[in-house]
């Protein structure tokens, strides 16, 4: 056997080997695509898990709200009592620009409200306190609950009508943010943001799934078209 000189062997590129990209802008574009896919997947997964409880709550209550007659149950209670007449007839000057219809300046409103709360365990916020020449009307409201007290200013006697609803009605009121307070209003806002981000990131991710891209986009367009169609029927 004879040795073969190394200089006689020519190196040839492997057949089918990928050639390096000649476009310098390709790498940054690929990096951006990877980052977009990674962040969209991360947000979609963890926001879905974090917001699963509120999304489930608003989904279920959307159904019960749309069919409230299936679940609605209301319990009415009537309460009566007496409070000091001095609280209802305070000798106080009328405020500037008094319209001669609102007599609330002649009433100790805080004392009246606290007595009604403590004596009868009324709950919720005071949404109305109307003071007329001969009587007062105080309204307490919270989700699925209302209590209206009518007070005779001359005698101090009052009657309270309490309406309390079932758990489904309470949840329906929470869904609408009805008499639920500022804290629950933030819950609604945060859940709306989470739901929006979950939807957007899910739509972005479909563009990175080559096998399902066309069918996914087609279903998204179909869903949007159906929503628009039913919207036009609803507002017609």
């Amino acid at each position: 056997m004879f040795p073969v000189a190394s200089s006689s062997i020519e190196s040839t590129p492997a057949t089918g080997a990928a050639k390096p990209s000649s476009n310098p802008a390709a790498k940054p574009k690929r990096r951006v695509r990877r980052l977009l896919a990674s962040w969209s997947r991360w947000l979609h997964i963890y926001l879905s898990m974090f917001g699963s409880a509120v999304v489930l709550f608003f989904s279920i209550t959307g159904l019960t709200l749309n069919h409230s007659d299936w679940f609605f149950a209301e319990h009415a209670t009537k309460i009566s009592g007496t409070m000091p007449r001095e609280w209802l007839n305070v000798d106080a000057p009328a405020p500037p620009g008094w319209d001669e219809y609102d007599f609330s300046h002649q009433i100790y409103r805080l004392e009246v409200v606290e007595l009604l709360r403590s004596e009868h365990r009324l709950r919720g916020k005071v949404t109305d306190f109307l003071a007329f020449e001969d009587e007062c009307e105080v309204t307490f409201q919270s989700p699925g609950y209302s209590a209206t007290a009518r007070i005779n200013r001359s005698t101090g006697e009052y009657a309270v009508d309490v309406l309390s609803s079932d758990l489904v009605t309470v949840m329906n009121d929470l869904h609408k943010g009805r008499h639920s307070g500022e804290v629950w209003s933030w819950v609604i806002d945060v859940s709306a943001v989470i739901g929006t981000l979950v939807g957007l990131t899910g739509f972005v991710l479909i563009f990175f799934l080559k096998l399902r891209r066309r069918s996914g986009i087609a279903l998204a367009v179909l869903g949007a078209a159906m929503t628009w169609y039913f919207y036009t029927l609803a507002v017609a």
Side-chain angles (χ1 to χ4, degrees):
M1 297 182 63
F2 298 95
V4 180
S6 60
S7 59
S8 65
I9 300 177
E10 296 181 0
S11 59
T12 57
T15 304
K19 296 182 179 180
S21 175
S22 59
N23 185 2
K27 288 185 177 179
K29 286 182 179 179
R30 285 199 299 268
R31 189 178 299 113
V32 171
R33 285 172 59 85
R34 283 198 299 269
L35 283 174
L36 181 59
S38 176
W39 276 102
S40 296
R41 188 180 300 109
W42 188 90
L43 284 172
H44 188 78
I45 292 172
Y46 289 103
L47 281 178
S48 297
M49 296 308 298
F50 178 76
S52 59
V54 291
V55 171
L56 184 62
F57 172 83
F58 283 103
S59 299
I60 293 173
T61 53
L63 179 64
T64 59
L65 187 62
N66 197 41
H67 300 282
S68 57
D69 54 315
W70 295 356
F71 308 98
F72 182 75
E74 191 174 66
H75 180 66
T77 306
K78 204 170 188 67
I79 304 168
S80 60
T82 306
M83 65 177 60
R85 288 180 295 172
E86 296 79 14
W87 294 358
L88 308 171
N89 298 276
V90 179
D91 186 13
W98 181 46
D99 59 8
E100 299 185 11
Y101 290 100
D102 180 14
F103 289 81
S104 58
H105 62 282
Q106 297 181 355
I107 298 168
Y108 285 148
R109 289 181 293 180
L110 179 61
E111 285 80 355
V112 170
V113 169
E114 291 306 316
L115 182 142
L116 292 171
R117 285 191 191 278
S118 60
E119 289 291 323
H120 308 294
R121 297 182 180 178
L122 304 184
R123 64 178 190 269
K125 297 187 300 182
V126 176
T127 55
D128 276 312
F129 195 120
L130 305 176
F132 306 104
E133 190 172 6
D134 55 348
E135 69 172 7
C136 302
E137 187 174 295
V138 188
T139 303
F140 302 80
Q141 289 182 314
S142 67
Y145 175 90
S146 70
T148 302
R150 294 174 178 84
I151 310 165
N152 188 309
R153 291 186 61 189
S154 61
T155 63
E157 296 178 350
Y158 61 83
V160 186
D161 293 313
V162 181
L163 292 176
S164 55
S165 303
D166 58 2
L167 178 60
V168 173
T169 305
V170 173
M171 293 194 302
N172 288 346
D173 281 353
L174 288 173
H175 182 105
K176 296 182 289 186
R178 186 169 181 260
H179 311 305
S180 54
E182 186 176 355
V183 174
W184 188 257
S185 177
W186 276 100
V187 173
I188 295 175
D189 290 341
V190 170
S191 63
V193 172
I194 290 174
T196 301
L197 290 175
V198 168
L200 288 176
T201 52
F203 188 73
V204 169
L205 283 174
I206 199 66
F207 288 93
F208 296 96
L209 302 175
K210 293 182 179 180
L211 296 178
R212 295 182 175 85
R213 184 185 300 166
R214 289 185 179 180
S215 59
I217 294 174
L219 285 173
V221 172
L222 177 62
M226 291 178 62
T227 302
W228 175 256
Y229 173 71
F230 290 121
Y231 166 78
T232 56
L233 288 180
V235 299

PDB file of all heavy atoms in Angstrom, residues 10 15 26 35 41 55 58 62 65 95-96 118 124 133 143 151 162-164 180 189 197 199 209 211 214:
ATOM      1  N   GLU A  10      -9.484  16.706  -1.783  1.00  0.00           N
ATOM      2  CA  GLU A  10     -10.184  17.997  -1.827  1.00  0.00           C
ATOM      3  C   GLU A  10     -11.421  17.904  -0.926  1.00  0.00           C
ATOM      4  O   GLU A  10     -12.184  16.953  -1.009  1.00  0.00           O
ATOM      5  CB  GLU A  10     -10.595  18.322  -3.261  1.00  0.00           C
ATOM      6  CG  GLU A  10      -9.400  18.511  -4.185  1.00  0.00           C
ATOM      7  CD  GLU A  10      -9.842  18.863  -5.596  1.00  0.00           C
ATOM      8  OE1 GLU A  10     -11.080  18.936  -5.799  1.00  0.00           O
ATOM      9  OE2 GLU A  10      -8.982  19.048  -6.454  1.00  0.00           O
ATOM     10  N   THR A  15     -23.603  17.178   0.864  1.00  0.00           N
ATOM     11  CA  THR A  15     -24.801  17.393   0.053  1.00  0.00           C
ATOM     12  C   THR A  15     -25.980  17.722   0.955  1.00  0.00           C
ATOM     13  O   THR A  15     -26.237  17.043   1.943  1.00  0.00           O
ATOM     14  CB  THR A  15     -25.133  16.126  -0.756  1.00  0.00           C
ATOM     15  OG1 THR A  15     -23.991  15.792  -1.530  1.00  0.00           O
ATOM     16  CG2 THR A  15     -26.328  16.358  -1.661  1.00  0.00           C
ATOM     17  N   ALA A  26     -32.039  38.574   9.265  1.00  0.00           N
ATOM     18  CA  ALA A  26     -32.823  37.365   9.558  1.00  0.00           C
ATOM     19  C   ALA A  26     -32.722  36.963  11.015  1.00  0.00           C
ATOM     20  O   ALA A  26     -33.717  36.574  11.632  1.00  0.00           O
ATOM     21  CB  ALA A  26     -32.364  36.222   8.660  1.00  0.00           C
ATOM     22  N   LEU A  35     -39.019  35.351  20.961  1.00  0.00           N
ATOM     23  CA  LEU A  35     -39.416  36.058  22.182  1.00  0.00           C
ATOM     24  C   LEU A  35     -40.932  36.241  22.233  1.00  0.00           C
ATOM     25  O   LEU A  35     -41.552  36.066  23.290  1.00  0.00           O
ATOM     26  CB  LEU A  35     -38.721  37.425  22.256  1.00  0.00           C
ATOM     27  CG  LEU A  35     -37.261  37.416  22.677  1.00  0.00           C
ATOM     28  CD1 LEU A  35     -36.659  38.817  22.554  1.00  0.00           C
ATOM     29  CD2 LEU A  35     -37.113  36.914  24.114  1.00  0.00           C
ATOM     30  N   ARG A  41     -46.821  32.443  25.121  1.00  0.00           N
ATOM     31  CA  ARG A  41     -47.116  31.152  25.762  1.00  0.00           C
ATOM     32  C   ARG A  41     -47.103  31.292  27.280  1.00  0.00           C
ATOM     33  O   ARG A  41     -47.987  30.778  27.969  1.00  0.00           O
ATOM     34  CB  ARG A  41     -46.088  30.106  25.319  1.00  0.00           C
ATOM     35  CG  ARG A  41     -46.418  28.687  25.770  1.00  0.00           C
ATOM     36  CD  ARG A  41     -45.362  27.698  25.314  1.00  0.00           C
ATOM     37  NE  ARG A  41     -45.242  27.663  23.866  1.00  0.00           N
ATOM     38  CZ  ARG A  41     -44.199  28.143  23.193  1.00  0.00           C
ATOM     39  NH1 ARG A  41     -43.177  28.697  23.848  1.00  0.00           N
ATOM     40  NH2 ARG A  41     -44.151  28.071  21.894  1.00  0.00           N
ATOM     41  N   VAL A  55     -62.591  33.942  35.868  1.00  0.00           N
ATOM     42  CA  VAL A  55     -63.154  33.659  34.541  1.00  0.00           C
ATOM     43  C   VAL A  55     -64.296  32.647  34.663  1.00  0.00           C
ATOM     44  O   VAL A  55     -65.363  32.794  34.040  1.00  0.00           O
ATOM     45  CB  VAL A  55     -62.058  33.138  33.594  1.00  0.00           C
ATOM     46  CG1 VAL A  55     -62.671  32.630  32.296  1.00  0.00           C
ATOM     47  CG2 VAL A  55     -61.049  34.241  33.284  1.00  0.00           C
ATOM     48  N   PHE A  58     -67.390  34.482  36.266  1.00  0.00           N
ATOM     49  CA  PHE A  58     -68.133  35.341  35.357  1.00  0.00           C
ATOM     50  C   PHE A  58     -68.762  34.556  34.215  1.00  0.00           C
ATOM     51  O   PHE A  58     -69.767  34.993  33.646  1.00  0.00           O
ATOM     52  CB  PHE A  58     -67.229  36.456  34.826  1.00  0.00           C
ATOM     53  CG  PHE A  58     -66.999  37.545  35.827  1.00  0.00           C
ATOM     54  CD1 PHE A  58     -65.810  37.630  36.528  1.00  0.00           C
ATOM     55  CD2 PHE A  58     -67.980  38.488  36.081  1.00  0.00           C
ATOM     56  CE1 PHE A  58     -65.598  38.627  37.463  1.00  0.00           C
ATOM     57  CE2 PHE A  58     -67.790  39.484  37.019  1.00  0.00           C
ATOM     58  CZ  PHE A  58     -66.593  39.560  37.712  1.00  0.00           C
ATOM     59  N   GLY A  62     -72.727  34.545  33.986  1.00  0.00           N
ATOM     60  CA  GLY A  62     -73.289  35.022  32.726  1.00  0.00           C
ATOM     61  C   GLY A  62     -74.473  34.175  32.300  1.00  0.00           C
ATOM     62  O   GLY A  62     -75.488  34.691  31.808  1.00  0.00           O
ATOM     63  N   LEU A  65     -77.334  34.771  34.912  1.00  0.00           N
ATOM     64  CA  LEU A  65     -77.894  36.104  34.716  1.00  0.00           C
ATOM     65  C   LEU A  65     -78.820  36.128  33.507  1.00  0.00           C
ATOM     66  O   LEU A  65     -79.860  36.794  33.515  1.00  0.00           O
ATOM     67  CB  LEU A  65     -76.759  37.114  34.538  1.00  0.00           C
ATOM     68  CG  LEU A  65     -77.140  38.597  34.472  1.00  0.00           C
ATOM     69  CD1 LEU A  65     -77.797  39.039  35.762  1.00  0.00           C
ATOM     70  CD2 LEU A  65     -75.908  39.440  34.200  1.00  0.00           C
ATOM     71  N   PRO A  95     -79.444  75.346  54.982  1.00  0.00           N
ATOM     72  CA  PRO A  95     -78.221  75.660  54.238  1.00  0.00           C
ATOM     73  C   PRO A  95     -78.480  76.733  53.187  1.00  0.00           C
ATOM     74  O   PRO A  95     -79.632  76.960  52.794  1.00  0.00           O
ATOM     75  CB  PRO A  95     -77.857  74.319  53.577  1.00  0.00           C
ATOM     76  CG  PRO A  95     -79.155  73.600  53.458  1.00  0.00           C
ATOM     77  CD  PRO A  95     -79.967  74.011  54.660  1.00  0.00           C
ATOM     78  N   PRO A  96     -77.451  77.420  52.739  1.00  0.00           N
ATOM     79  CA  PRO A  96     -77.629  78.424  51.680  1.00  0.00           C
ATOM     80  C   PRO A  96     -78.224  77.802  50.418  1.00  0.00           C
ATOM     81  O   PRO A  96     -77.856  76.706  50.027  1.00  0.00           O
ATOM     82  CB  PRO A  96     -76.197  78.917  51.409  1.00  0.00           C
ATOM     83  CG  PRO A  96     -75.440  78.578  52.656  1.00  0.00           C
ATOM     84  CD  PRO A  96     -76.059  77.341  53.192  1.00  0.00           C
ATOM     85  N   SER A 118     -77.756  48.661  63.914  1.00  0.00           N
ATOM     86  CA  SER A 118     -77.498  47.908  65.141  1.00  0.00           C
ATOM     87  C   SER A 118     -78.741  47.171  65.633  1.00  0.00           C
ATOM     88  O   SER A 118     -78.651  46.039  66.136  1.00  0.00           O
ATOM     89  CB  SER A 118     -76.973  48.840  66.231  1.00  0.00           C
ATOM     90  OG  SER A 118     -77.926  49.858  66.525  1.00  0.00           O
ATOM     91  N   GLY A 124     -75.181  46.520  53.970  1.00  0.00           N
ATOM     92  CA  GLY A 124     -75.073  47.236  52.707  1.00  0.00           C
ATOM     93  C   GLY A 124     -74.792  48.713  52.904  1.00  0.00           C
ATOM     94  O   GLY A 124     -74.730  49.227  54.026  1.00  0.00           O
ATOM     95  N   GLU A 133     -90.842  66.759  54.799  1.00  0.00           N
ATOM     96  CA  GLU A 133     -91.358  67.549  55.927  1.00  0.00           C
ATOM     97  C   GLU A 133     -91.969  66.668  57.005  1.00  0.00           C
ATOM     98  O   GLU A 133     -91.873  66.985  58.198  1.00  0.00           O
ATOM     99  CB  GLU A 133     -92.394  68.542  55.416  1.00  0.00           C
ATOM    100  CG  GLU A 133     -92.818  69.565  56.457  1.00  0.00           C
ATOM    101  CD  GLU A 133     -93.698  70.649  55.883  1.00  0.00           C
ATOM    102  OE1 GLU A 133     -94.078  70.548  54.697  1.00  0.00           O
ATOM    103  OE2 GLU A 133     -94.026  71.596  56.615  1.00  0.00           O
ATOM    104  N   PRO A 143     -75.365  43.474  47.133  1.00  0.00           N
ATOM    105  CA  PRO A 143     -75.756  42.461  46.148  1.00  0.00           C
ATOM    106  C   PRO A 143     -76.809  41.497  46.678  1.00  0.00           C
ATOM    107  O   PRO A 143     -76.628  40.862  47.707  1.00  0.00           O
ATOM    108  CB  PRO A 143     -74.436  41.742  45.856  1.00  0.00           C
ATOM    109  CG  PRO A 143     -73.401  42.777  46.076  1.00  0.00           C
ATOM    110  CD  PRO A 143     -73.891  43.573  47.241  1.00  0.00           C
ATOM    111  N   ILE A 151     -89.686  56.464  58.036  1.00  0.00           N
ATOM    112  CA  ILE A 151     -89.714  56.957  59.417  1.00  0.00           C
ATOM    113  C   ILE A 151     -90.653  58.152  59.518  1.00  0.00           C
ATOM    114  O   ILE A 151     -90.551  59.111  58.735  1.00  0.00           O
ATOM    115  CB  ILE A 151     -88.302  57.386  59.872  1.00  0.00           C
ATOM    116  CG1 ILE A 151     -87.292  56.279  59.558  1.00  0.00           C
ATOM    117  CG2 ILE A 151     -88.286  57.743  61.343  1.00  0.00           C
ATOM    118  CD1 ILE A 151     -85.846  56.733  59.620  1.00  0.00           C
ATOM    119  N   VAL A 162     -87.493  44.595  54.192  1.00  0.00           N
ATOM    120  CA  VAL A 162     -86.226  43.944  53.833  1.00  0.00           C
ATOM    121  C   VAL A 162     -86.491  42.893  52.766  1.00  0.00           C
ATOM    122  O   VAL A 162     -87.353  42.025  52.934  1.00  0.00           O
ATOM    123  CB  VAL A 162     -85.561  43.284  55.064  1.00  0.00           C
ATOM    124  CG1 VAL A 162     -84.242  42.639  54.665  1.00  0.00           C
ATOM    125  CG2 VAL A 162     -85.360  44.306  56.167  1.00  0.00           C
ATOM    126  N   LEU A 163     -85.744  42.977  51.672  1.00  0.00           N
ATOM    127  CA  LEU A 163     -85.820  41.989  50.592  1.00  0.00           C
ATOM    128  C   LEU A 163     -84.455  41.335  50.446  1.00  0.00           C
ATOM    129  O   LEU A 163     -83.468  42.012  50.143  1.00  0.00           O
ATOM    130  CB  LEU A 163     -86.231  42.650  49.277  1.00  0.00           C
ATOM    131  CG  LEU A 163     -87.652  43.198  49.184  1.00  0.00           C
ATOM    132  CD1 LEU A 163     -87.851  43.915  47.856  1.00  0.00           C
ATOM    133  CD2 LEU A 163     -88.684  42.095  49.348  1.00  0.00           C
ATOM    134  N   SER A 164     -84.388  40.036  50.686  1.00  0.00           N
ATOM    135  CA  SER A 164     -83.134  39.308  50.521  1.00  0.00           C
ATOM    136  C   SER A 164     -83.339  38.189  49.511  1.00  0.00           C
ATOM    137  O   SER A 164     -84.366  37.507  49.533  1.00  0.00           O
ATOM    138  CB  SER A 164     -82.654  38.731  51.855  1.00  0.00           C
ATOM    139  OG  SER A 164     -83.654  37.938  52.448  1.00  0.00           O
ATOM    140  N   SER A 180     -71.948  46.684  44.779  1.00  0.00           N
ATOM    141  CA  SER A 180     -70.900  45.788  45.272  1.00  0.00           C
ATOM    142  C   SER A 180     -69.686  46.515  45.839  1.00  0.00           C
ATOM    143  O   SER A 180     -68.792  45.876  46.387  1.00  0.00           O
ATOM    144  CB  SER A 180     -70.446  44.850  44.146  1.00  0.00           C
ATOM    145  OG  SER A 180     -70.061  45.587  43.009  1.00  0.00           O
ATOM    146  N   ASP A 189     -62.568  44.798  36.995  1.00  0.00           N
ATOM    147  CA  ASP A 189     -61.596  45.380  36.064  1.00  0.00           C
ATOM    148  C   ASP A 189     -60.418  44.431  35.820  1.00  0.00           C
ATOM    149  O   ASP A 189     -59.998  44.223  34.669  1.00  0.00           O
ATOM    150  CB  ASP A 189     -61.084  46.715  36.602  1.00  0.00           C
ATOM    151  CG  ASP A 189     -62.142  47.806  36.566  1.00  0.00           C
ATOM    152  OD1 ASP A 189     -63.123  47.638  35.818  1.00  0.00           O
ATOM    153  OD2 ASP A 189     -61.989  48.811  37.275  1.00  0.00           O
ATOM    154  N   LEU A 197     -56.201  39.591  27.913  1.00  0.00           N
ATOM    155  CA  LEU A 197     -54.847  39.129  27.621  1.00  0.00           C
ATOM    156  C   LEU A 197     -54.808  37.651  27.270  1.00  0.00           C
ATOM    157  O   LEU A 197     -54.047  37.236  26.384  1.00  0.00           O
ATOM    158  CB  LEU A 197     -53.930  39.416  28.813  1.00  0.00           C
ATOM    159  CG  LEU A 197     -53.601  40.891  29.066  1.00  0.00           C
ATOM    160  CD1 LEU A 197     -52.778  41.049  30.339  1.00  0.00           C
ATOM    161  CD2 LEU A 197     -52.844  41.484  27.873  1.00  0.00           C
ATOM    162  N   GLY A 199     -57.189  35.972  25.805  1.00  0.00           N
ATOM    163  CA  GLY A 199     -57.704  35.868  24.452  1.00  0.00           C
ATOM    164  C   GLY A 199     -56.693  36.322  23.404  1.00  0.00           C
ATOM    165  O   GLY A 199     -56.498  35.660  22.380  1.00  0.00           O
ATOM    166  N   LEU A 209     -48.222  27.924  15.289  1.00  0.00           N
ATOM    167  CA  LEU A 209     -48.567  26.504  15.120  1.00  0.00           C
ATOM    168  C   LEU A 209     -48.887  26.277  13.643  1.00  0.00           C
ATOM    169  O   LEU A 209     -50.026  26.464  13.200  1.00  0.00           O
ATOM    170  CB  LEU A 209     -49.768  26.128  16.003  1.00  0.00           C
ATOM    171  CG  LEU A 209     -49.593  26.379  17.504  1.00  0.00           C
ATOM    172  CD1 LEU A 209     -50.879  26.074  18.247  1.00  0.00           C
ATOM    173  CD2 LEU A 209     -48.440  25.562  18.060  1.00  0.00           C
ATOM    174  N   LEU A 211     -49.253  23.715  11.712  1.00  0.00           N
ATOM    175  CA  LEU A 211     -50.232  22.719  11.309  1.00  0.00           C
ATOM    176  C   LEU A 211     -51.666  23.153  11.584  1.00  0.00           C
ATOM    177  O   LEU A 211     -52.596  22.671  10.942  1.00  0.00           O
ATOM    178  CB  LEU A 211     -49.951  21.387  12.014  1.00  0.00           C
ATOM    179  CG  LEU A 211     -48.624  20.704  11.664  1.00  0.00           C
ATOM    180  CD1 LEU A 211     -48.465  19.431  12.463  1.00  0.00           C
ATOM    181  CD2 LEU A 211     -48.548  20.398  10.166  1.00  0.00           C
ATOM    182  N   ARG A 214     -54.040  27.762   9.804  1.00  0.00           N
ATOM    183  CA  ARG A 214     -55.158  28.113   8.928  1.00  0.00           C
ATOM    184  C   ARG A 214     -56.504  27.806   9.560  1.00  0.00           C
ATOM    185  O   ARG A 214     -57.429  28.619   9.537  1.00  0.00           O
ATOM    186  CB  ARG A 214     -55.022  27.374   7.597  1.00  0.00           C
ATOM    187  CG  ARG A 214     -53.883  27.893   6.716  1.00  0.00           C
ATOM    188  CD  ARG A 214     -53.896  27.206   5.367  1.00  0.00           C
ATOM    189  NE  ARG A 214     -52.828  27.708   4.509  1.00  0.00           N
ATOM    190  CZ  ARG A 214     -52.609  27.290   3.283  1.00  0.00           C
ATOM    191  NH1 ARG A 214     -53.376  26.326   2.763  1.00  0.00           N
ATOM    192  NH2 ARG A 214     -51.622  27.797   2.560  1.00  0.00           N
TER     193      ARG A 214
END
